[in-house]
Amino acid sequence: MSTQQPDPQLARWQRFRKNRNAALASPYGWLTLTSFQWLAERPAAVDLVPGLWSTDGTTAFLTADAADGLTLVETGEPVDGTISAALADEESLLWVQYGGDDGRQAVVELAMRADRYALRTRDSVSPVFTGFDGVPTFGYRPDLVLEARFTPYPEPVDVPIGTANPLVDGVHRSVGELVFRLPGQEHESRLQAEEEKLGALTVTFHDETNGDSTDEWRKVTTARPRIDSRGNRTVVLDFNRAINYPSAFTPYGTCPMPVKNNSLDYRIEAGEKQPNPLPGSEG
């Protein structure tokens, strides 16, 4: 009786999927977002959160009474009076919490986006979070595990882009291009990449499955490029690891769109699909 050896590449992908779903299901993660609200100049009430909120453009302010039940995330101390916080653009702070039997059902994230202060509420009883049972994916495609050549630019190039929020503009810092050939295609494809920690590369891309079986765009991250025997910088571009941005799960994200021309005239039927709708929702 012969025994078939497990495919190590498939096993690694299965571990990747398990870790990915666990990360999405983490407390106060992306699946718990329930609002995105800009702060006004004058102290004013906001949706879903007690207190009065405002900003002078450089600092955010919250005024509340102890009876409002707001406490600081970092220390657990009640908010009684006026507190403030200042962030740089693109920074976020899990600032205060409230609600539930333990006073920590929801967390308020203070964020600076497009040089404006905003709030996002993260609620642990959000139905998107409580109903999550994993992201649907295509079956594993070994033919979409590709070797790509990385061609770095002399200097990074900042490219203006849109985001999932039409009121928030973004910037893609392109460090070079990944050049590769998709199965069955004669021409090479090119995708602009951003650099992540430790030299890893991320590409955000459109493909022909978008709006059909997948969200409007996805991203895939590679390891740091290595020098091959011919002196080329190369990476493994594994489209089975293509994942959704948070904006695929929630309307409250400010996720970056792909740069112009980061579109593949090909159906990348690998990686994550469009998330399942909640029971009773449309779509």
Side-chain angles (χ1 to χ4, degrees):
M1 181 177 179
S2 62
T3 58
Q4 186 175 3
Q5 294 296 318
D7 181 347
Q9 201 171 50
L10 174 60
R12 285 193 294 270
W13 177 70
Q14 290 170 335
R15 288 195 297 272
F16 169 81
R17 290 303 323 155
K18 181 179 180 180
N19 292 336
R20 163 68 171 163
N21 285 325
L24 282 171
S26 62
Y28 308 117
W30 293 114
L31 301 183
T32 65
L33 291 182
T34 52
S35 73
F36 180 99
Q37 306 172 72
W38 297 109
L39 295 190
E41 292 183 7
R42 295 179 179 274
V46 298
D47 292 338
L48 306 179
V49 190
L52 299 177
W53 303 76
S54 63
T55 177
D56 62 4
T58 60
T59 305
F61 302 94
L62 162 62
T63 301
D65 297 324
D68 289 324
L70 291 165
T71 60
L72 294 172
V73 170
E74 185 175 359
T75 64
E77 295 178 5
V79 178
D80 190 7
T82 298
I83 61 173
S84 63
L87 302 176
D89 197 33
E90 293 302 315
E91 286 187 337
S92 293
L93 169 67
L94 297 183
W95 197 12
V96 296
Q97 56 199 357
Y98 65 98
D101 293 338
D102 61 358
R104 297 186 298 173
Q105 174 183 313
V107 164
V108 181
E109 172 196 1
L110 179 67
M112 175 73 90
R113 298 292 183 269
D115 293 316
R116 296 173 63 188
Y117 277 104
L119 299 180
R120 282 196 291 213
T121 49
R122 297 174 178 253
D123 195 326
S124 60
V125 298
S126 163
V128 177
F129 176 67
T130 58
F132 178 68
D133 61 356
V135 187
T137 68
F138 293 98
Y140 184 73
R141 289 277 301 273
D143 61 325
L144 286 174
V145 182
L146 310 173
E147 181 178 86
R149 185 175 71 255
F150 176 55
T151 304
Y153 296 147
E155 296 290 338
V157 179
D158 286 342
V159 182
I161 57 171
T163 73
N165 186 320
L167 299 178
V168 177
D169 293 327
V171 174
H172 184 282
R173 175 154 286 190
S174 298
V175 296
E177 297 178 349
L178 291 182
V179 185
F180 55 95
R181 184 173 283 109
L182 289 159
Q185 289 201 336
E186 295 183 359
H187 67 275
E188 289 185 323
S189 297
R190 292 175 174 268
L191 294 175
Q192 292 184 46
E194 286 189 294
E195 188 174 66
E196 306 293 344
K197 293 180 180 179
L198 303 177
L201 299 174
T202 292
V203 290
T204 302
F205 66 95
H206 293 293
D207 74 89
E208 295 295 323
T209 66
N210 293 163
D212 174 3
S213 50
T214 65
D215 196 48
E216 295 302 321
W217 63 88
R218 294 179 290 168
K219 68 175 179 177
V220 62
T221 298
T222 76
R224 182 176 183 173
R226 295 184 176 183
I227 306 298
D228 66 12
S229 59
R230 294 167 292 180
N232 294 320
R233 294 178 173 89
T234 64
V235 299
V236 174
L237 181 60
D238 185 353
F239 281 108
N240 294 285
R241 298 193 177 211
I243 64 173
N244 295 314
Y245 272 99
S247 54
F249 304 94
T250 171
Y252 307 116
T254 57
C255 305
M257 293 180 176
V259 295
K260 185 179 180 181
N261 298 327
N262 259 28
S263 297
L264 300 172
D265 55 345
Y266 194 91
R267 291 184 65 83
I268 301 293
E269 294 181 326
E272 292 187 350
K273 294 182 177 181
Q274 182 79 32
N276 290 323
L278 291 173
S281 65
E282 297 181 358

